[in-house]
Amino acid sequence: MRDDDGDALDRALRFLKSRAVGDYPVDEFGFDVELTETVLLPALRPLYDRWFRVSAHGVGNLPAEGGALLVANHSGVLPLDALMTAVAVHDEHPAHRHLRMLGAELVFRTPVLASFARRSGNTLACHPDAERLLRAGELVGVWPEGYKGVGKPFSARYRLQRFGRGGFVSAALRTGVPIVPCAIVGAEEIYPKIADIRPLARLLGLPYFPVTPFFPLLGPLGTVPLPTKWHIEFGEPLSTADHDPAAADDQMLVLDLTDRIREDIQQILYRRLSRRRGLFSG
């Protein structure tokens, strides 16, 4: 048996023992570090390493400690881009930080999914929770395009949707943390959305019901994402330390910084796409 195998076995036995006796810590948001590192991240790594073959760039732009807000583009029909970004942050950064993601209300209304989201460190995308996490020195991730981004048609790929009214910028200003732009290339093509069955989406309480070349035509087989080659690039951070926390109430400043971050991400996307050799070769 290799040493790595022995370490993995020891971790698994410790995990099972702690679960059996209920002796494991969670924070005020329900984040279970042990479950995340022992079960959830290992379950995602085959997708990250072998299916999407993710390459991470600019990891040094992520702070080694302290609060920071990571802002990324959103796409792909299902939010696999957020999960792959969380793996990149943890596995590629020397400090192995956990990305505390801000999720949509639908995530926390969905049975089972809501529990896993909380256990893996995610929380509802709202100002109070975001600011509490940032003040606690956490690395927080937000995808401000929301459903407009993740559910956009294939024809609009890599064109950023609106970032809303800049709530994420306000949270960064109030807490004085840097904002790190993040661009994800590859996720747009995993489920090429060519149509939306809106009556069915309303019936099911979903923001959209996608039609792709393979779903629902091929049934469950159509839910397998295409194995595109991904690049996740972390850009230069934008400091907010020179602004007074009261600047968060200056709507003109908030909108200006929101547009700046959006433009930074769009430019990184264009630059990364210009170097792309192909959907599957990268």
Side-chain angles (χ1 to χ4, degrees), residues 11-28:
R11 286 196 299 271
L13 291 173
R14 288 197 300 270
F15 173 75
L16 291 174
K17 180 180 178 180
S18 68
R19 299 294 122 172
V21 300
D23 182 22
Y24 54 90
V26 297
D27 72 5
E28 60 181 309

Side-chain angles (χ1 to χ4, degrees), residues 76-77 150-157 188-198 208-218 226:
V77 175
V150 76
K152 65 177 175 283
F154 188 65
S155 60
R157 60 193 180 279
E188 297 274 11
E189 297 92 359
I190 60 173
Y191 297 114
K193 183 185 170 193
I194 55 177
D196 185 0
I197 307 177
R198 294 186 179 181
Y208 50 83
F209 190 91
V211 176
T212 77
F214 311 106
F215 180 84
L217 181 64
L218 299 183
L226 293 176

Side-chain angles (χ1 to χ4, degrees), residues 126-139:
C126 63
H127 281 232
D129 281 6
E131 290 174 22
R132 282 163 61 200
L133 284 167
L134 292 169
R135 287 195 177 97
E138 299 288 353
L139 179 57

Side-chain angles (χ1 to χ4, degrees), residues 23 56 97 138 160 238:
D23 182 22
R97 300 195 66 176
E138 299 288 353
L160 292 181
L238 172 66

Side-chain angles (χ1 to χ4, degrees), residues 71-76 81 102 104 142-152 156-166 168 182-184 188 207-208 258 262 265-266 269:
V71 183
N73 59 305
H74 215 8
S75 64
D81 53 359
L102 304 179
V142 63
W143 284 258
E145 291 175 280
Y147 297 132
K148 299 188 300 296
V150 76
K152 65 177 175 283
R157 60 193 180 279
Y158 299 115
R159 296 204 297 270
L160 292 181
Q161 306 299 296
R162 289 184 62 252
F163 272 18
R165 292 175 293 180
F168 67 92
C182 175
I184 304 165
E188 297 274 11
Y208 50 83
T258 300
R262 184 177 179 275
I265 296 171
Q266 186 69 76
L269 285 172

Side-chain angles (χ1 to χ4, degrees), residues 23-41:
D23 182 22
Y24 54 90
V26 297
D27 72 5
E28 60 181 309
F29 294 93
F31 181 33
D32 186 334
V33 175
E34 185 182 50
L35 177 71
T36 300
E37 295 184 347
T38 307
V39 177
L40 302 181
L41 285 173

Side-chain angles (χ1 to χ4, degrees), residues 54-153:
V54 180
S55 294
H57 312 271
V59 176
N61 288 320
L62 296 171
E65 59 184 16
L69 186 66
L70 185 152
V71 183
N73 59 305
H74 215 8
S75 64
V77 175
L78 294 178
L80 295 179
D81 53 359
L83 298 176
M84 294 300 101
T85 304
V87 178
V89 168
H90 182 272
D91 287 7
E92 308 287 358
H93 195 278
H96 301 297
R97 300 195 66 176
H98 290 284
L99 184 62
R100 307 298 294 271
M101 296 183 286
L102 304 179
E105 184 180 356
L106 177 62
V107 172
F108 299 98
R109 287 194 285 106
T110 304
V112 181
L113 178 59
S115 177
F116 273 107
R118 288 286 184 190
R119 292 293 189 90
S120 58
N122 305 323
T123 191
L124 185 65
C126 63
H127 281 232
D129 281 6
E131 290 174 22
R132 282 163 61 200
L133 284 167
L134 292 169
R135 287 195 177 97
E138 299 288 353
L139 179 57
V140 177
V142 63
W143 284 258
E145 291 175 280
Y147 297 132
K148 299 188 300 296
V150 76
K152 65 177 175 283

